[in-house]
Amino acid sequence: AQKVTQAQTEISVVEKEDVTLDCVYETRDTTYYLFWYKQPPSGELVFLIRRNSFDEQNEISGRYSWNFQKSTSSFNFTITASQVVDSAVYFCALSEAGDSNYQLIWGAGTKLIIKP
Amino acid sequence: KAGVTQTPRYLIKTRGQQVTLSCSPISGHRSVSWYQQTPGQGLQFLFEYFSETQRNKGNFPGRFSGRQFSNSRSEMNVSTLELGDSALYLCASSLALGEEETQYFGPGTRLLVL
Protein backbone atom coordinates (compact mmCIF):
# COMPACT_ATOMS: atom_id res chain seq x y z
CA ALA A 1 0.00 0.00 0.00
CA GLN A 2 1.09 3.55 -0.60
CA LYS A 3 2.13 5.66 2.34
CA VAL A 4 3.91 8.93 2.99
CA THR A 5 5.54 9.63 6.34
CA GLN A 6 6.61 13.02 7.58
CA ALA A 7 7.98 12.21 10.99
CA GLN A 8 8.61 15.81 12.01
CA THR A 9 5.36 17.27 13.29
CA GLU A 10 6.77 20.70 14.00
CA ILE A 11 10.13 22.39 13.50
CA SER A 12 11.10 25.75 14.93
CA VAL A 13 14.24 27.60 13.87
CA VAL A 14 15.58 31.10 13.99
CA GLU A 15 15.61 33.11 10.80
CA LYS A 16 18.60 32.53 8.50
CA GLU A 17 19.14 29.00 9.75
CA ASP A 18 18.97 26.11 7.27
CA VAL A 19 16.23 23.56 7.83
CA THR A 20 15.48 20.15 6.31
CA LEU A 21 12.03 18.59 6.17
CA ASP A 22 12.00 14.82 5.88
CA CYS A 23 9.71 12.72 3.72
CA VAL A 24 9.73 8.93 3.45
CA TYR A 25 7.37 7.10 1.11
CA GLU A 26 6.20 3.58 0.38
CA THR A 27 4.92 2.31 -2.93
CA ARG A 28 5.00 -0.89 -4.95
CA ASP A 29 4.90 0.90 -8.27
CA THR A 30 8.05 1.52 -10.24
CA THR A 31 6.57 4.65 -11.77
CA TYR A 32 5.40 7.24 -9.32
CA TYR A 33 5.54 10.95 -8.63
CA LEU A 34 6.50 12.87 -5.54
CA PHE A 35 5.38 16.35 -4.66
CA TRP A 36 5.93 19.04 -2.08
CA TYR A 37 3.26 21.60 -1.30
CA LYS A 38 3.27 24.56 1.06
CA GLN A 39 0.18 25.55 3.01
CA PRO A 40 0.33 29.03 4.55
CA PRO A 41 -2.23 30.06 7.19
CA SER A 42 -4.62 31.15 4.43
CA GLY A 43 -5.16 27.46 3.66
CA GLU A 44 -4.39 27.31 -0.04
CA LEU A 45 -1.94 24.58 -1.03
CA VAL A 46 0.90 26.00 -3.10
CA PHE A 47 2.75 23.66 -5.45
CA LEU A 48 6.53 23.63 -4.94
CA ILE A 49 7.95 20.71 -6.89
CA ARG A 50 7.15 17.47 -8.71
CA ARG A 51 9.65 14.67 -9.23
CA ASN A 52 9.13 11.41 -11.11
CA SER A 53 10.61 8.14 -9.97
CA PHE A 54 13.06 7.92 -12.84
CA ASP A 55 14.74 11.22 -12.13
CA GLU A 56 16.95 11.11 -9.05
CA GLN A 57 18.71 14.36 -9.78
CA ASN A 58 18.60 16.78 -6.92
CA GLU A 59 16.98 20.09 -7.65
CA ILE A 60 17.66 23.59 -6.46
CA SER A 61 15.33 26.54 -6.82
CA GLY A 62 16.62 29.63 -5.10
CA ARG A 63 16.76 28.90 -1.38
CA TYR A 64 14.88 25.62 -1.84
CA SER A 65 16.50 22.30 -2.65
CA TRP A 66 15.27 18.74 -2.82
CA ASN A 67 17.14 15.48 -2.29
CA PHE A 68 15.50 12.41 -3.85
CA GLN A 69 17.02 9.04 -2.90
CA LYS A 70 15.24 5.92 -4.13
CA SER A 71 17.57 3.69 -2.11
CA THR A 72 16.09 5.07 1.10
CA SER A 73 12.67 6.01 -0.35
CA SER A 74 13.16 9.57 0.76
CA PHE A 75 12.43 12.94 -0.79
CA ASN A 76 13.73 15.56 1.60
CA PHE A 77 13.30 19.30 1.32
CA THR A 78 15.84 21.87 2.51
CA ILE A 79 15.34 25.57 2.94
CA THR A 80 18.58 27.51 3.09
CA ALA A 81 18.78 30.80 4.99
CA SER A 82 15.20 30.51 6.16
CA GLN A 83 12.94 33.55 6.32
CA VAL A 84 9.87 34.34 8.39
CA VAL A 85 7.75 34.10 5.22
CA ASP A 86 8.71 30.43 4.98
CA SER A 87 6.56 29.73 8.03
CA ALA A 88 3.84 27.34 6.90
CA VAL A 89 2.83 23.70 6.92
CA TYR A 90 4.68 21.67 4.30
CA PHE A 91 3.22 18.53 2.82
CA CYS A 92 4.91 15.75 0.92
CA ALA A 93 2.65 13.71 -1.38
CA LEU A 94 2.83 10.68 -3.65
CA SER A 95 0.87 9.67 -6.71
CA GLU A 96 1.21 6.53 -8.77
CA ALA A 97 1.02 6.12 -12.52
CA GLY A 98 -2.06 4.97 -14.36
CA ASP A 99 -5.58 5.36 -13.10
CA SER A 100 -4.40 6.53 -9.71
CA ASN A 101 -2.37 9.34 -11.19
CA TYR A 102 -4.75 11.97 -9.95
CA GLN A 103 -5.06 10.66 -6.44
CA LEU A 104 -2.51 12.19 -4.13
CA ILE A 105 -1.48 10.32 -0.99
CA TRP A 106 -0.40 12.84 1.63
CA GLY A 107 1.96 12.92 4.53
CA ALA A 108 0.71 14.40 7.78
CA GLY A 109 2.61 17.62 7.17
CA THR A 110 5.40 19.43 8.99
CA LYS A 111 4.65 22.76 10.59
CA LEU A 112 7.64 25.03 10.11
CA ILE A 113 8.01 28.05 12.37
CA ILE A 114 10.65 30.59 11.53
CA LYS A 115 11.33 32.99 14.38
CA PRO A 116 12.69 36.47 13.64
CA LYS B 1 -4.49 33.10 -16.00
CA ALA B 2 -6.97 32.83 -13.16
CA GLY B 3 -6.35 30.12 -10.59
CA VAL B 4 -8.71 27.57 -9.19
CA THR B 5 -11.71 29.22 -7.57
CA GLN B 6 -13.97 27.74 -4.94
CA THR B 7 -17.28 28.99 -3.64
CA PRO B 8 -18.37 29.62 -1.03
CA ARG B 9 -15.26 30.21 1.03
CA TYR B 10 -17.00 29.68 4.36
CA LEU B 11 -20.14 27.82 5.26
CA ILE B 12 -21.99 27.01 8.46
CA LYS B 13 -24.59 24.25 8.45
CA THR B 14 -26.39 22.15 11.02
CA ARG B 15 -26.46 18.39 11.36
CA GLY B 16 -28.76 16.67 8.92
CA GLN B 17 -28.60 19.40 6.31
CA GLN B 18 -26.97 19.02 2.95
CA VAL B 19 -24.39 21.24 1.28
CA THR B 20 -23.08 21.86 -2.23
CA LEU B 21 -19.61 23.22 -2.87
CA SER B 22 -18.42 24.55 -6.21
CA CYS B 23 -15.05 24.52 -7.93
CA SER B 24 -14.00 26.23 -11.14
CA PRO B 25 -10.71 24.85 -12.49
CA ILE B 26 -7.96 26.74 -14.24
CA SER B 27 -8.98 27.47 -17.80
CA GLY B 28 -8.08 24.51 -20.02
CA HIS B 29 -7.74 22.05 -17.14
CA ARG B 30 -9.90 18.98 -17.57
CA SER B 31 -9.37 17.08 -14.34
CA VAL B 32 -10.80 18.16 -11.00
CA SER B 33 -10.03 16.43 -7.72
CA TRP B 34 -11.50 17.00 -4.29
CA TYR B 35 -9.81 16.57 -0.91
CA GLN B 36 -10.96 16.85 2.67
CA GLN B 37 -8.61 18.26 5.28
CA THR B 38 -9.23 17.83 9.00
CA PRO B 39 -6.89 18.17 12.00
CA GLY B 40 -7.40 14.53 12.90
CA GLN B 41 -7.24 12.80 9.53
CA GLY B 42 -5.14 15.24 7.56
CA LEU B 43 -5.61 15.46 3.80
CA GLN B 44 -7.73 12.74 2.27
CA PHE B 45 -8.70 12.16 -1.33
CA LEU B 46 -12.44 12.27 -2.04
CA PHE B 47 -12.80 11.83 -5.80
CA GLU B 48 -11.54 12.90 -9.19
CA TYR B 49 -13.47 13.85 -12.30
CA PHE B 50 -12.43 14.00 -15.91
CA SER B 51 -14.71 14.80 -18.84
CA GLU B 52 -17.78 14.63 -16.62
CA THR B 53 -16.87 11.12 -15.41
CA GLN B 54 -15.70 10.08 -11.98
CA ARG B 55 -12.41 8.24 -12.49
CA ASN B 56 -11.26 7.69 -8.93
CA LYS B 57 -12.95 7.63 -5.57
CA GLY B 58 -11.55 7.64 -2.07
CA ASN B 59 -12.88 5.86 1.00
CA PHE B 60 -15.77 8.10 1.90
CA PRO B 61 -19.40 7.16 2.49
CA GLY B 62 -22.03 7.58 -0.18
CA ARG B 63 -23.18 10.82 1.45
CA PHE B 64 -20.29 12.41 -0.40
CA SER B 65 -20.92 12.79 -4.10
CA GLY B 66 -19.82 14.99 -6.91
CA ARG B 67 -20.22 15.81 -10.54
CA GLN B 68 -18.47 17.65 -13.30
CA PHE B 69 -20.04 19.76 -15.99
CA SER B 70 -19.12 20.08 -19.65
CA ASN B 71 -17.14 23.26 -18.90
CA SER B 72 -15.06 21.27 -16.35
CA ARG B 73 -16.58 23.05 -13.37
CA SER B 74 -17.26 20.65 -10.56
CA GLU B 75 -19.55 20.45 -7.58
CA MET B 76 -19.43 18.22 -4.57
CA ASN B 77 -22.41 17.48 -2.38
CA VAL B 78 -22.57 16.20 1.15
CA SER B 79 -25.96 15.01 2.35
CA THR B 80 -27.13 14.41 5.92
CA LEU B 81 -24.26 16.38 7.40
CA GLU B 82 -22.52 15.09 10.50
CA LEU B 83 -20.35 17.00 12.96
CA GLY B 84 -17.32 15.13 11.65
CA ASP B 85 -17.83 16.61 8.19
CA SER B 86 -16.50 19.93 9.49
CA ALA B 87 -13.37 20.42 7.45
CA LEU B 88 -11.55 22.38 4.81
CA TYR B 89 -12.58 21.08 1.39
CA LEU B 90 -9.97 21.62 -1.26
CA CYS B 91 -10.39 21.38 -4.98
CA ALA B 92 -7.51 20.88 -7.38
CA SER B 93 -7.31 20.98 -11.15
CA SER B 94 -4.83 19.62 -13.65
CA LEU B 95 -4.42 19.55 -17.40
CA ALA B 96 -4.70 15.75 -17.58
CA LEU B 97 -2.67 15.51 -20.76
CA GLY B 98 -0.07 13.03 -19.62
CA GLU B 99 1.39 11.08 -16.79
CA GLU B 100 3.39 13.86 -15.19
CA GLU B 101 0.55 15.90 -13.90
CA THR B 102 0.58 18.60 -11.27
CA GLN B 103 -2.51 19.50 -9.30
CA TYR B 104 -3.11 23.16 -8.56
CA PHE B 105 -5.29 23.94 -5.59
CA GLY B 106 -7.97 26.47 -4.83
CA PRO B 107 -8.28 28.34 -1.53
CA GLY B 108 -10.75 25.83 -0.16
CA THR B 109 -14.16 25.97 1.43
CA ARG B 110 -14.27 25.87 5.23
CA LEU B 111 -17.36 23.98 6.33
CA LEU B 112 -18.51 24.07 9.93
CA VAL B 113 -21.28 21.70 10.95
CA LEU B 114 -23.07 22.57 14.20
Side-chain angles (χ1 to χ4, degrees), chain A residues 33 35 37 39 41-45 47 50 52 91 97-104 106, chain B residues 31 33 35 37 43 45 48 55-56 88 90 94 96 98-103 105-107:
Chain A
Y33 307 92
F35 302 80
Y37 284 86
Q39 188 175 43
S42 62
E44 184 169 345
L45 283 162
F47 167 75
R50 177 191 68 235
N52 76 52
F91 290 94
D99 291 342
S100 301
N101 191 30
Y102 303 98
Q103 177 176 342
L104 287 168
W106 299 87
Chain B
S31 169
S33 298
Y35 295 84
Q37 185 176 26
L43 279 155
F45 172 77
E48 185 251 344
R55 290 200 298 189
N56 289 291
L88 177 66
L90 291 159
S94 63
E99 291 251 311
E100 286 206 25
E101 281 297 326
T102 295
Q103 296 185 28
F105 285 81

Side-chain angles (χ1 to χ4, degrees), chain A residues 80-99:
Chain A
T80 304
S82 60
Q83 299 176 2
V84 172
V85 293
D86 296 327
S87 296
V89 180
Y90 291 84
F91 290 94
C92 180
L94 162 76
S95 73
E96 295 170 335
D99 291 342

Side-chain angles (χ1 to χ4, degrees), chain B residues 4-113:
Chain B
V4 178
T5 58
Q6 292 186 247
T7 56
R9 293 293 310 278
Y10 304 92
L11 207 48
I12 300 176
K13 292 285 187 179
T14 57
R15 278 181 299 176
Q17 287 187 311
Q18 76 164 15
V19 67
T20 299
L21 311 181
S22 180
C23 171
S24 292
I26 292 171
S27 178
H29 284 197
R30 302 185 296 169
S31 169
V32 173
S33 298
W34 288 89
Y35 295 84
Q36 181 197 64
Q37 185 176 26
T38 60
Q41 300 298 318
L43 279 155
Q44 293 184 285
F45 172 77
L46 280 157
F47 27 65
E48 185 251 344
Y49 286 88
F50 176 79
S51 292
E52 303 177 63
T53 301
Q54 186 183 89
R55 290 200 298 189
N56 289 291
K57 190 178 191 305
N59 296 324
F60 278 81
R63 300 185 297 107
F64 291 82
S65 63
R67 58 179 176 168
Q68 186 181 34
F69 302 95
S70 58
N71 62 358
S72 293
R73 190 178 71 85
S74 177
E75 288 182 347
M76 69 162 278
N77 184 276
V78 188
S79 61
T80 320
L81 284 166
E82 300 176 0
L83 295 179
D85 296 333
S86 295
L88 177 66
Y89 290 89
L90 291 159
C91 165
S93 75
S94 63
L95 272 171
L97 283 181
E99 291 251 311
E100 286 206 25
E101 281 297 326
T102 295
Q103 296 185 28
Y104 296 92
F105 285 81
T109 294
R110 291 190 185 274
L111 171 65
L112 176 61
V113 181

Side-chain angles (χ1 to χ4, degrees), chain A residues 10-78:
Chain A
E10 184 173 305
I11 299 175
S12 181
V13 300
V14 177
E15 200 172 20
K16 296 182 183 174
E17 284 186 20
D18 298 347
V19 58
T20 295
L21 309 182
D22 297 333
C23 173
V24 174
Y25 61 92
E26 293 176 30
T27 177
R28 292 179 183 174
D29 275 18
T30 54
T31 303
Y32 52 89
Y33 307 92
L34 296 164
F35 302 80
W36 276 95
Y37 284 86
K38 172 183 179 179
Q39 188 175 43
S42 62
E44 184 169 345
L45 283 162
V46 178
F47 167 75
L48 294 177
I49 190 172
R50 177 191 68 235
R51 173 66 74 227
N52 76 52
S53 54
F54 299 109
D55 182 2
E56 284 194 75
Q57 274 194 331
N58 291 332
E59 180 154 341
I60 298 174
S61 176
R63 296 183 297 106
Y64 296 172
S65 62
W66 291 269
N67 184 331
F68 176 31
Q69 292 195 341
K70 287 178 75 170
S71 60
T72 56
S73 297
S74 65
F75 186 43
N76 297 336
F77 172 32
T78 297

